[in-house]
Amino acid sequence: MSMVQLLGKIPTHYCSQQTAEEMALLAYNRALKLSSPGCPVLGVGFTGSLASTQAKVGDHRFHLSTRTSNRLWVSTVTLSKGLRTREQEDTISSHLLLKAVANACKVQATFVSHLTESDVSDEFEKQFTEDQELEQLINGQICFKVYPFSSVTHTSNEERKIILSGSFNPLHEGHLKLLEVAASICGNGYPCFEISAVNADKPPLSVSQIKDRVKQFEKVGKTVIISSQPFFYKKAELFPGSAFVIGTDTAVLINPKYYDGDCGKMLEILIACKNTGCTFLVGGRNVDGVFKVLEDFDIPEVLKDMLVSIPAEQFRMDISSTEIRKRIGM
């Protein structure tokens, strides 16, 4: 049951190479969510069918897999039946697991193999290019990819992310200033931008489009996260405890008409967002030709402590990416 809950399905085989790969990928994605932006992470999968009190019909075997951002490694070891006790098989598999973790982390270590000529070991690895990583993200295999371009050193205890999401087509001074002001209001935290490769009402971005937009952040030395979640309630699940920076043009969506006219449905989704520990810093924006701030909207009482207004005197910039694209004929 624990395996079914982990994988979200009943696997064809509980002890198989595919299951080990899927476990490693799930662990990798979970490690991404728990880590600071740009911190290298590793996912490890292990599943085995070893000696037990009753004789086994099948082989005594185990499958190992490690996954990093650009590498998948898999090993299958079939042990000679009847040669070892359960404790001895545990020891061999544990040592090989530790060796796999060390190799994935590029740690120098010496391991003595206790495999014999009658044991069978098979392994392979696959390296991923940046384009392949982004394809995996678009397809939903990995939850996000971080480009840690920030020139500012952040301490390891700054686990809270301060995230400004958008399409950034193009990135402009208003975006940079808004995140800077939001970070000063929040205090401790890791400021970063976020782009969803998958859109709610448009086709997903292509790999080349993503890379073009990422280049903008490299030029200004700012960290950007590419995710596959277009909705804020899903972003909140992906980055729990974060402070999201939005404009009033986004805050206007706190209206039942955007939730099939169902106020209960709206509150259920937004309260779930709140329960992730996320807050939303709201900057003033032009809405239908009129500059509006958070206080101009009727916010349900239960959601008010989730929203923080950015004072207009601290940030006001009426420029938009849409206007810039029109101006330059994009």
PDB file of all heavy atoms in Angstrom, residues 240-267:
ATOM      1  N   PRO A 240       5.250  25.692  -1.145  1.00  0.00           N
ATOM      2  CA  PRO A 240       4.551  26.036   0.103  1.00  0.00           C
ATOM      3  C   PRO A 240       5.374  26.998   0.960  1.00  0.00           C
ATOM      4  O   PRO A 240       6.606  26.931   0.979  1.00  0.00           O
ATOM      5  CB  PRO A 240       4.371  24.676   0.794  1.00  0.00           C
ATOM      6  CG  PRO A 240       5.421  23.793   0.201  1.00  0.00           C
ATOM      7  CD  PRO A 240       5.594  24.252  -1.204  1.00  0.00           C
ATOM      8  N   GLY A 241       4.649  27.890   1.651  1.00  0.00           N
ATOM      9  CA  GLY A 241       5.320  28.838   2.537  1.00  0.00           C
ATOM     10  C   GLY A 241       5.936  30.023   1.821  1.00  0.00           C
ATOM     11  O   GLY A 241       6.598  30.852   2.447  1.00  0.00           O
ATOM     12  N   SER A 242       5.721  30.125   0.519  1.00  0.00           N
ATOM     13  CA  SER A 242       6.326  31.206  -0.257  1.00  0.00           C
ATOM     14  C   SER A 242       5.480  32.471  -0.203  1.00  0.00           C
ATOM     15  O   SER A 242       4.304  32.445   0.159  1.00  0.00           O
ATOM     16  CB  SER A 242       6.509  30.781  -1.720  1.00  0.00           C
ATOM     17  OG  SER A 242       7.415  29.708  -1.826  1.00  0.00           O
ATOM     18  N   ALA A 243       6.105  33.576  -0.577  1.00  0.00           N
ATOM     19  CA  ALA A 243       5.397  34.853  -0.750  1.00  0.00           C
ATOM     20  C   ALA A 243       5.330  35.113  -2.249  1.00  0.00           C
ATOM     21  O   ALA A 243       6.370  35.266  -2.900  1.00  0.00           O
ATOM     22  CB  ALA A 243       6.131  35.967  -0.030  1.00  0.00           C
ATOM     23  N   PHE A 244       4.123  35.114  -2.798  1.00  0.00           N
ATOM     24  CA  PHE A 244       3.945  35.388  -4.225  1.00  0.00           C
ATOM     25  C   PHE A 244       3.667  36.875  -4.427  1.00  0.00           C
ATOM     26  O   PHE A 244       2.888  37.475  -3.681  1.00  0.00           O
ATOM     27  CB  PHE A 244       2.793  34.558  -4.799  1.00  0.00           C
ATOM     28  CG  PHE A 244       3.116  33.097  -4.937  1.00  0.00           C
ATOM     29  CD1 PHE A 244       2.740  32.190  -3.956  1.00  0.00           C
ATOM     30  CD2 PHE A 244       3.807  32.622  -6.043  1.00  0.00           C
ATOM     31  CE1 PHE A 244       3.045  30.841  -4.066  1.00  0.00           C
ATOM     32  CE2 PHE A 244       4.112  31.269  -6.165  1.00  0.00           C
ATOM     33  CZ  PHE A 244       3.731  30.382  -5.179  1.00  0.00           C
ATOM     34  N   VAL A 245       4.298  37.426  -5.427  1.00  0.00           N
ATOM     35  CA  VAL A 245       4.126  38.845  -5.736  1.00  0.00           C
ATOM     36  C   VAL A 245       3.221  38.945  -6.959  1.00  0.00           C
ATOM     37  O   VAL A 245       3.535  38.391  -8.022  1.00  0.00           O
ATOM     38  CB  VAL A 245       5.485  39.516  -6.030  1.00  0.00           C
ATOM     39  CG1 VAL A 245       5.311  41.024  -6.161  1.00  0.00           C
ATOM     40  CG2 VAL A 245       6.489  39.177  -4.925  1.00  0.00           C
ATOM     41  N   ILE A 246       2.087  39.608  -6.812  1.00  0.00           N
ATOM     42  CA  ILE A 246       1.124  39.721  -7.910  1.00  0.00           C
ATOM     43  C   ILE A 246       0.672  41.168  -8.060  1.00  0.00           C
ATOM     44  O   ILE A 246       0.874  41.999  -7.167  1.00  0.00           O
ATOM     45  CB  ILE A 246      -0.112  38.816  -7.694  1.00  0.00           C
ATOM     46  CG1 ILE A 246      -0.893  39.254  -6.433  1.00  0.00           C
ATOM     47  CG2 ILE A 246       0.288  37.350  -7.591  1.00  0.00           C
ATOM     48  CD1 ILE A 246      -2.197  38.508  -6.224  1.00  0.00           C
ATOM     49  N   GLY A 247       0.073  41.473  -9.183  1.00  0.00           N
ATOM     50  CA  GLY A 247      -0.525  42.786  -9.397  1.00  0.00           C
ATOM     51  C   GLY A 247      -2.015  42.720  -9.149  1.00  0.00           C
ATOM     52  O   GLY A 247      -2.600  41.635  -9.071  1.00  0.00           O
ATOM     53  N   THR A 248      -2.640  43.884  -9.025  1.00  0.00           N
ATOM     54  CA  THR A 248      -4.094  43.895  -8.801  1.00  0.00           C
ATOM     55  C   THR A 248      -4.847  43.340 -10.000  1.00  0.00           C
ATOM     56  O   THR A 248      -5.990  42.909  -9.879  1.00  0.00           O
ATOM     57  CB  THR A 248      -4.591  45.318  -8.502  1.00  0.00           C
ATOM     58  OG1 THR A 248      -4.046  46.238  -9.471  1.00  0.00           O
ATOM     59  CG2 THR A 248      -4.190  45.770  -7.108  1.00  0.00           C
ATOM     60  N   ASP A 249      -4.183  43.296 -11.170  1.00  0.00           N
ATOM     61  CA  ASP A 249      -4.832  42.684 -12.335  1.00  0.00           C
ATOM     62  C   ASP A 249      -4.989  41.178 -12.149  1.00  0.00           C
ATOM     63  O   ASP A 249      -5.829  40.542 -12.773  1.00  0.00           O
ATOM     64  CB  ASP A 249      -4.057  42.984 -13.616  1.00  0.00           C
ATOM     65  CG  ASP A 249      -2.590  42.602 -13.526  1.00  0.00           C
ATOM     66  OD1 ASP A 249      -2.066  42.532 -12.398  1.00  0.00           O
ATOM     67  OD2 ASP A 249      -1.962  42.389 -14.570  1.00  0.00           O
ATOM     68  N   THR A 250      -4.183  40.597 -11.249  1.00  0.00           N
ATOM     69  CA  THR A 250      -4.334  39.186 -10.886  1.00  0.00           C
ATOM     70  C   THR A 250      -5.269  39.047  -9.689  1.00  0.00           C
ATOM     71  O   THR A 250      -6.095  38.132  -9.630  1.00  0.00           O
ATOM     72  CB  THR A 250      -2.969  38.552 -10.554  1.00  0.00           C
ATOM     73  OG1 THR A 250      -2.124  38.659 -11.706  1.00  0.00           O
ATOM     74  CG2 THR A 250      -3.116  37.087 -10.185  1.00  0.00           C
ATOM     75  N   ALA A 251      -5.159  39.966  -8.725  1.00  0.00           N
ATOM     76  CA  ALA A 251      -6.017  39.921  -7.537  1.00  0.00           C
ATOM     77  C   ALA A 251      -7.490  40.054  -7.905  1.00  0.00           C
ATOM     78  O   ALA A 251      -8.365  39.567  -7.177  1.00  0.00           O
ATOM     79  CB  ALA A 251      -5.623  41.028  -6.558  1.00  0.00           C
ATOM     80  N   VAL A 252      -7.772  40.688  -9.037  1.00  0.00           N
ATOM     81  CA  VAL A 252      -9.163  40.841  -9.469  1.00  0.00           C
ATOM     82  C   VAL A 252      -9.828  39.483  -9.703  1.00  0.00           C
ATOM     83  O   VAL A 252     -11.064  39.364  -9.718  1.00  0.00           O
ATOM     84  CB  VAL A 252      -9.229  41.718 -10.754  1.00  0.00           C
ATOM     85  CG1 VAL A 252      -8.776  40.918 -11.967  1.00  0.00           C
ATOM     86  CG2 VAL A 252     -10.625  42.283 -10.985  1.00  0.00           C
ATOM     87  N   LEU A 253      -8.997  38.431  -9.841  1.00  0.00           N
ATOM     88  CA  LEU A 253      -9.534  37.088 -10.060  1.00  0.00           C
ATOM     89  C   LEU A 253     -10.160  36.499  -8.806  1.00  0.00           C
ATOM     90  O   LEU A 253     -10.766  35.437  -8.843  1.00  0.00           O
ATOM     91  CB  LEU A 253      -8.430  36.152 -10.564  1.00  0.00           C
ATOM     92  CG  LEU A 253      -7.792  36.537 -11.907  1.00  0.00           C
ATOM     93  CD1 LEU A 253      -6.694  35.558 -12.271  1.00  0.00           C
ATOM     94  CD2 LEU A 253      -8.830  36.590 -13.021  1.00  0.00           C
ATOM     95  N   ILE A 254     -10.019  37.206  -7.657  1.00  0.00           N
ATOM     96  CA  ILE A 254     -10.694  36.752  -6.431  1.00  0.00           C
ATOM     97  C   ILE A 254     -12.157  37.202  -6.542  1.00  0.00           C
ATOM     98  O   ILE A 254     -12.614  38.157  -5.920  1.00  0.00           O
ATOM     99  CB  ILE A 254     -10.013  37.325  -5.166  1.00  0.00           C
ATOM    100  CG1 ILE A 254      -8.541  36.907  -5.141  1.00  0.00           C
ATOM    101  CG2 ILE A 254     -10.706  36.823  -3.907  1.00  0.00           C
ATOM    102  CD1 ILE A 254      -7.755  37.466  -3.972  1.00  0.00           C
ATOM    103  N   ASN A 255     -12.853  36.530  -7.391  1.00  0.00           N
ATOM    104  CA  ASN A 255     -14.245  36.855  -7.711  1.00  0.00           C
ATOM    105  C   ASN A 255     -14.935  35.560  -8.124  1.00  0.00           C
ATOM    106  O   ASN A 255     -14.409  34.821  -8.965  1.00  0.00           O
ATOM    107  CB  ASN A 255     -14.278  37.883  -8.861  1.00  0.00           C
ATOM    108  CG  ASN A 255     -15.677  38.397  -9.132  1.00  0.00           C
ATOM    109  OD1 ASN A 255     -16.639  37.640  -9.231  1.00  0.00           O
ATOM    110  ND2 ASN A 255     -15.792  39.712  -9.259  1.00  0.00           N
ATOM    111  N   PRO A 256     -16.099  35.250  -7.540  1.00  0.00           N
ATOM    112  CA  PRO A 256     -16.787  33.988  -7.851  1.00  0.00           C
ATOM    113  C   PRO A 256     -17.033  33.749  -9.336  1.00  0.00           C
ATOM    114  O   PRO A 256     -17.126  32.599  -9.771  1.00  0.00           O
ATOM    115  CB  PRO A 256     -18.123  34.119  -7.097  1.00  0.00           C
ATOM    116  CG  PRO A 256     -17.824  35.048  -5.967  1.00  0.00           C
ATOM    117  CD  PRO A 256     -16.823  36.036  -6.523  1.00  0.00           C
ATOM    118  N   LYS A 257     -17.110  34.837 -10.138  1.00  0.00           N
ATOM    119  CA  LYS A 257     -17.420  34.635 -11.560  1.00  0.00           C
ATOM    120  C   LYS A 257     -16.319  33.847 -12.281  1.00  0.00           C
ATOM    121  O   LYS A 257     -16.559  33.249 -13.320  1.00  0.00           O
ATOM    122  CB  LYS A 257     -17.674  35.971 -12.251  1.00  0.00           C
ATOM    123  CG  LYS A 257     -16.449  36.809 -12.557  1.00  0.00           C
ATOM    124  CD  LYS A 257     -16.845  38.071 -13.333  1.00  0.00           C
ATOM    125  CE  LYS A 257     -15.618  38.878 -13.753  1.00  0.00           C
ATOM    126  NZ  LYS A 257     -15.999  40.084 -14.512  1.00  0.00           N
ATOM    127  N   TYR A 258     -15.112  33.851 -11.704  1.00  0.00           N
ATOM    128  CA  TYR A 258     -14.012  33.074 -12.294  1.00  0.00           C
ATOM    129  C   TYR A 258     -13.991  31.635 -11.778  1.00  0.00           C
ATOM    130  O   TYR A 258     -13.103  30.855 -12.112  1.00  0.00           O
ATOM    131  CB  TYR A 258     -12.672  33.756 -12.005  1.00  0.00           C
ATOM    132  CG  TYR A 258     -12.546  35.121 -12.665  1.00  0.00           C
ATOM    133  CD1 TYR A 258     -12.642  36.285 -11.906  1.00  0.00           C
ATOM    134  CD2 TYR A 258     -12.365  35.242 -14.037  1.00  0.00           C
ATOM    135  CE1 TYR A 258     -12.550  37.534 -12.498  1.00  0.00           C
ATOM    136  CE2 TYR A 258     -12.277  36.487 -14.641  1.00  0.00           C
ATOM    137  CZ  TYR A 258     -12.366  37.628 -13.865  1.00  0.00           C
ATOM    138  OH  TYR A 258     -12.277  38.865 -14.456  1.00  0.00           O
ATOM    139  N   TYR A 259     -14.968  31.298 -10.937  1.00  0.00           N
ATOM    140  CA  TYR A 259     -15.058  29.941 -10.369  1.00  0.00           C
ATOM    141  C   TYR A 259     -16.463  29.386 -10.619  1.00  0.00           C
ATOM    142  O   TYR A 259     -17.120  28.891  -9.723  1.00  0.00           O
ATOM    143  CB  TYR A 259     -14.739  29.970  -8.868  1.00  0.00           C
ATOM    144  CG  TYR A 259     -13.354  30.485  -8.571  1.00  0.00           C
ATOM    145  CD1 TYR A 259     -13.100  31.852  -8.464  1.00  0.00           C
ATOM    146  CD2 TYR A 259     -12.276  29.615  -8.413  1.00  0.00           C
ATOM    147  CE1 TYR A 259     -11.819  32.341  -8.213  1.00  0.00           C
ATOM    148  CE2 TYR A 259     -10.998  30.089  -8.159  1.00  0.00           C
ATOM    149  CZ  TYR A 259     -10.781  31.452  -8.063  1.00  0.00           C
ATOM    150  OH  TYR A 259      -9.514  31.932  -7.823  1.00  0.00           O
ATOM    151  N   ASP A 260     -16.899  29.553 -11.858  1.00  0.00           N
ATOM    152  CA  ASP A 260     -18.235  29.077 -12.287  1.00  0.00           C
ATOM    153  C   ASP A 260     -19.348  29.730 -11.468  1.00  0.00           C
ATOM    154  O   ASP A 260     -20.416  29.134 -11.275  1.00  0.00           O
ATOM    155  CB  ASP A 260     -18.337  27.546 -12.168  1.00  0.00           C
ATOM    156  CG  ASP A 260     -17.242  26.838 -12.961  1.00  0.00           C
ATOM    157  OD1 ASP A 260     -16.924  27.313 -14.066  1.00  0.00           O
ATOM    158  OD2 ASP A 260     -16.718  25.820 -12.477  1.00  0.00           O
ATOM    159  N   GLY A 261     -19.082  30.944 -10.965  1.00  0.00           N
ATOM    160  CA  GLY A 261     -20.090  31.654 -10.182  1.00  0.00           C
ATOM    161  C   GLY A 261     -20.324  31.061  -8.804  1.00  0.00           C
ATOM    162  O   GLY A 261     -21.269  31.436  -8.108  1.00  0.00           O
ATOM    163  N   ASP A 262     -19.452  30.149  -8.402  1.00  0.00           N
ATOM    164  CA  ASP A 262     -19.628  29.430  -7.128  1.00  0.00           C
ATOM    165  C   ASP A 262     -18.689  30.013  -6.069  1.00  0.00           C
ATOM    166  O   ASP A 262     -17.479  29.748  -6.074  1.00  0.00           O
ATOM    167  CB  ASP A 262     -19.333  27.939  -7.361  1.00  0.00           C
ATOM    168  CG  ASP A 262     -19.649  27.078  -6.148  1.00  0.00           C
ATOM    169  OD1 ASP A 262     -19.669  27.614  -5.026  1.00  0.00           O
ATOM    170  OD2 ASP A 262     -19.857  25.860  -6.325  1.00  0.00           O
ATOM    171  N   CYS A 263     -19.245  30.789  -5.154  1.00  0.00           N
ATOM    172  CA  CYS A 263     -18.445  31.417  -4.106  1.00  0.00           C
ATOM    173  C   CYS A 263     -17.806  30.359  -3.202  1.00  0.00           C
ATOM    174  O   CYS A 263     -16.650  30.501  -2.777  1.00  0.00           O
ATOM    175  CB  CYS A 263     -19.317  32.361  -3.275  1.00  0.00           C
ATOM    176  SG  CYS A 263     -18.382  33.298  -2.044  1.00  0.00           S
ATOM    177  N   GLY A 264     -18.536  29.287  -2.916  1.00  0.00           N
ATOM    178  CA  GLY A 264     -18.010  28.211  -2.071  1.00  0.00           C
ATOM    179  C   GLY A 264     -16.796  27.547  -2.697  1.00  0.00           C
ATOM    180  O   GLY A 264     -15.805  27.268  -2.014  1.00  0.00           O
ATOM    181  N   LYS A 265     -16.881  27.325  -4.018  1.00  0.00           N
ATOM    182  CA  LYS A 265     -15.754  26.715  -4.741  1.00  0.00           C
ATOM    183  C   LYS A 265     -14.546  27.645  -4.708  1.00  0.00           C
ATOM    184  O   LYS A 265     -13.410  27.204  -4.492  1.00  0.00           O
ATOM    185  CB  LYS A 265     -16.168  26.435  -6.181  1.00  0.00           C
ATOM    186  CG  LYS A 265     -15.083  25.811  -7.036  1.00  0.00           C
ATOM    187  CD  LYS A 265     -15.580  25.571  -8.469  1.00  0.00           C
ATOM    188  CE  LYS A 265     -14.492  24.993  -9.362  1.00  0.00           C
ATOM    189  NZ  LYS A 265     -14.978  24.805 -10.762  1.00  0.00           N
ATOM    190  N   MET A 266     -14.791  28.942  -4.892  1.00  0.00           N
ATOM    191  CA  MET A 266     -13.711  29.926  -4.865  1.00  0.00           C
ATOM    192  C   MET A 266     -13.005  29.920  -3.514  1.00  0.00           C
ATOM    193  O   MET A 266     -11.771  29.847  -3.433  1.00  0.00           O
ATOM    194  CB  MET A 266     -14.256  31.324  -5.157  1.00  0.00           C
ATOM    195  CG  MET A 266     -13.189  32.418  -5.111  1.00  0.00           C
ATOM    196  SD  MET A 266     -13.882  34.088  -5.136  1.00  0.00           S
ATOM    197  CE  MET A 266     -14.372  34.255  -3.403  1.00  0.00           C
ATOM    198  N   LEU A 267     -13.793  29.969  -2.436  1.00  0.00           N
ATOM    199  CA  LEU A 267     -13.212  30.005  -1.097  1.00  0.00           C
ATOM    200  C   LEU A 267     -12.469  28.714  -0.772  1.00  0.00           C
ATOM    201  O   LEU A 267     -11.400  28.738  -0.145  1.00  0.00           O
ATOM    202  CB  LEU A 267     -14.306  30.261  -0.058  1.00  0.00           C
ATOM    203  CG  LEU A 267     -14.891  31.684  -0.042  1.00  0.00           C
ATOM    204  CD1 LEU A 267     -16.033  31.775   0.947  1.00  0.00           C
ATOM    205  CD2 LEU A 267     -13.803  32.704   0.305  1.00  0.00           C
TER     206      LEU A 267
END
